[in-house]
Amino acid sequence: MEYYGAYERTDDFEYPEGAYGVMSWWDYGHWITTQSQRIPNANPFQQGATNAANYLLAPNESQAQDVLDRRADAGEETRYVMVDYQMASVTSKFSAPVTFYDDENVSYNDFAETVYSLQETEQGTFVDRSSQVYDQRYYDSLMVRLYRYHGSAQQAQPIVVDWETRELTAGDGSTVDVRTVGDNESMVKRFPNMSAARAYVEEDGSAQIGGVGPFPSEDVPALKHYRLVKASEAQNPNFQLNDRRQAAMAGDQLYGLIYQTSATSPNWVKTFEKVPGATVEGSGAPANTEVTASVEMRMPNSNSTFVYTQHAQTNDDGEFTLTLPYSTTGYDEFGPENGYTNVSVRANTSYTVTTPSTTNASGYTVQYGQEFNVSEGAVLGVDEEPVQITLEKRTQAPEGAQNDSDTNSTDTNSSSLTAPDSLSVDSSTVDSTDAGSVDGPSSSVLTTDAFGPAARVTN
């Protein structure tokens, strides 16, 4: 289809069986129609704009599904979600969906608020620089969880943003209360643990945990039904423009922590597939504890990796259940030729599931864990049998202990399980410049060759 082509209006068009929608912001609807010949959930006529805003800013996965259910008739489904860097960036289009959003009574300041660095001179007080500090509602938004974290869980860290509220006079004589820091002051403080950070915030009164770079104020749980399947080759470091501004206001010691560490790959467009997810049933863990599953994924177009992490709680019998959206095997068995997705983002490793380490009375470190694989068929719901795993107890002797020391256990397995490092950073994601325009991508950036056929083949 031609983007500027003329087409006759068709009433009561009947879509073929298996047709599906592609969710994105309405700006990109015509590109999805003309370039991929797929059905956009929203388009530049602003059809579906409010529904798209309610979905993209949904604060949790279940509410996002409710938004889709309200829109769809029987047999209709949204199969892909496309998020570009501008949608997730507060210096670009993030505010646009906020304008249309009507599932809650919120404003832009519920997602981010500006902090100003002030410079005192003989001529008066001037704004030297500024950055937007994210609220937890920003991190909870579905499109941010997709673009920044690729659906992975993200834990809050003992990092505090501290400011002073001051009344400033504008050029027209009006006054306004704003968040400020001094010219030579860092707006970010780092604490040894979360308890210390929370205590400081409570006592200070004008501070918050997190809100800079990838660090939320509260833990963000993993998404269970979305996986990254393709990322465009084109990248734009302007996604990190506000993060760089935050880092510059944090001082030299914390600059790298905010900006360079855990920087997400700023691919222009990231395409996610909505999947049933593989059910994993586990046993053999301690009762009432947290287990963490993680897998390292590779994005070939940007030659970078990320770690998908999901947490679950065990019951009184040490059993747990996970729903995992990323597969580790069987990619070549499913593709566009038989109605499925051409997945280019693939696993570098098997999954690793572990419990927290503990130390027993003899000084031995004890941890439970297991490695396992998840097939593409299980993620797609073709293989409906749950993946069964049993965690093994692993012990590590204290330094200087003899091999035959008492471990308070009959388990002699002393090997360890190492989860992928979720704080690793690929050098290709780091850009020291602060320049660059925020222009729209050419239509070639919105490649959709990851998509399955327009109508899924049914078995």
Side-chain angles (χ1 to χ4, degrees), residues 109-324:
N109 284 347
D110 292 306
F111 297 88
E113 192 162 346
T114 302
V115 174
Y116 298 91
S117 176
L118 301 182
Q119 185 177 28
E120 306 284 352
T121 70
E122 294 180 357
Q123 290 75 33
T125 302
F126 300 92
V127 173
D128 178 49
R129 62 181 68 183
S130 66
S131 64
Q132 297 184 57
V133 174
Y134 308 121
D135 187 83
Q136 181 64 25
R137 188 63 180 79
Y138 166 84
Y139 293 105
D140 287 338
S141 301
L142 190 74
M143 66 180 178
V144 173
R145 294 167 71 179
L146 290 171
Y147 192 90
R148 269 194 182 268
Y149 306 137
H150 309 133
S152 178
Q154 182 74 11
Q155 289 186 295
Q157 300 295 326
I159 297 169
V160 169
V161 178
D162 191 12
W163 66 87
E164 177 186 353
T165 301
R166 292 183 57 177
E167 183 181 88
L168 298 183
T169 303
D172 61 2
S174 61
T175 60
V176 60
D177 290 336
V178 297
R179 296 177 175 184
T180 67
V181 294
D183 185 42
N184 295 317
E185 297 176 357
S186 170
M187 73 171 185
V188 179
K189 293 177 169 59
R190 191 177 186 181
F191 291 83
N193 52 60
M194 290 297 293
S195 296
R198 293 190 183 101
Y200 180 89
V201 169
E202 184 176 357
E203 181 178 351
D204 183 79
S206 61
Q208 69 174 51
I209 293 175
V212 289
F215 304 113
S217 300
E218 303 169 9
D219 292 350
V220 176
L223 299 176
K224 299 180 179 180
H225 300 286
Y226 294 88
R227 63 172 180 176
L228 179 65
V229 293
K230 184 176 178 63
S232 63
E233 290 188 25
Q235 297 191 17
N236 195 313
N238 279 330
F239 169 70
Q240 295 159 339
L241 177 59
N242 189 61
D243 289 12
R244 291 198 296 271
R245 291 172 177 172
Q246 293 174 339
M249 293 177 65
D252 295 340
Q253 292 184 340
L254 295 177
Y255 183 95
L257 174 70
I258 296 171
Y259 170 53
Q260 294 175 333
T261 304
S262 301
T264 190
S265 180
N267 304 80
W268 205 306
V269 180
K270 297 178 181 180
T271 301
F272 299 84
E273 183 180 20
K274 189 171 178 291
V275 294
T279 299
V280 177
E281 296 179 349
S283 61
N288 305 312
T289 192
E290 183 179 82
V291 296
T292 299
S294 55
V295 62
E296 183 181 80
M297 308 296 298
R298 174 160 292 278
M299 302 163 62
N301 283 346
S302 58
N303 192 32
S304 60
T305 62
F306 67 91
V307 175
Y308 173 83
T309 299
Q310 186 179 136
H311 307 287
Q313 194 74 14
T314 65
N315 62 17
D316 292 341
D317 297 320
E319 300 169 337
F320 60 92
T321 302
L322 299 160
T323 302
L324 301 174

Side-chain angles (χ1 to χ4, degrees), residues 251-416:
D252 295 340
Q253 292 184 340
L254 295 177
Y255 183 95
L257 174 70
I258 296 171
Y259 170 53
Q260 294 175 333
T261 304
S262 301
T264 190
S265 180
N267 304 80
W268 205 306
V269 180
K270 297 178 181 180
T271 301
F272 299 84
E273 183 180 20
K274 189 171 178 291
V275 294
T279 299
V280 177
E281 296 179 349
S283 61
N288 305 312
T289 192
E290 183 179 82
V291 296
T292 299
S294 55
V295 62
E296 183 181 80
M297 308 296 298
R298 174 160 292 278
M299 302 163 62
N301 283 346
S302 58
N303 192 32
S304 60
T305 62
F306 67 91
V307 175
Y308 173 83
T309 299
Q310 186 179 136
H311 307 287
Q313 194 74 14
T314 65
N315 62 17
D316 292 341
D317 297 320
E319 300 169 337
F320 60 92
T321 302
L322 299 160
T323 302
L324 301 174
Y326 287 96
S327 60
T328 59
T329 62
Y331 300 107
D332 295 336
E333 299 175 21
F334 299 88
E337 65 280 357
N338 53 2
Y340 296 98
T341 301
N342 179 20
V343 179
S344 64
V345 179
R346 302 187 174 188
N348 269 353
T349 64
S350 301
Y351 274 95
T352 298
V353 61
T354 57
T355 63
S357 298
T358 59
T359 302
N360 65 18
S362 299
Y364 280 73
T365 300
V366 179
Q367 185 180 43
Y368 293 78
Q370 188 59 271
E371 293 183 5
F372 63 98
N373 283 301
V374 170
S375 71
E376 181 74 355
V379 165
L380 295 171
V382 176
D383 301 333
E384 296 182 356
E385 286 295 318
V387 178
Q388 302 286 342
I389 62 172
T390 302
L391 272 58
E392 298 177 353
K393 185 176 182 180
R394 314 283 174 136
T395 60
Q396 183 175 353
E399 185 176 354
Q402 298 298 317
N403 291 334
D404 59 352
S405 295
D406 178 19
T407 65
N408 289 343
S409 169
T410 58
D411 189 334
T412 58
N413 190 342
S414 61
S415 62
S416 62

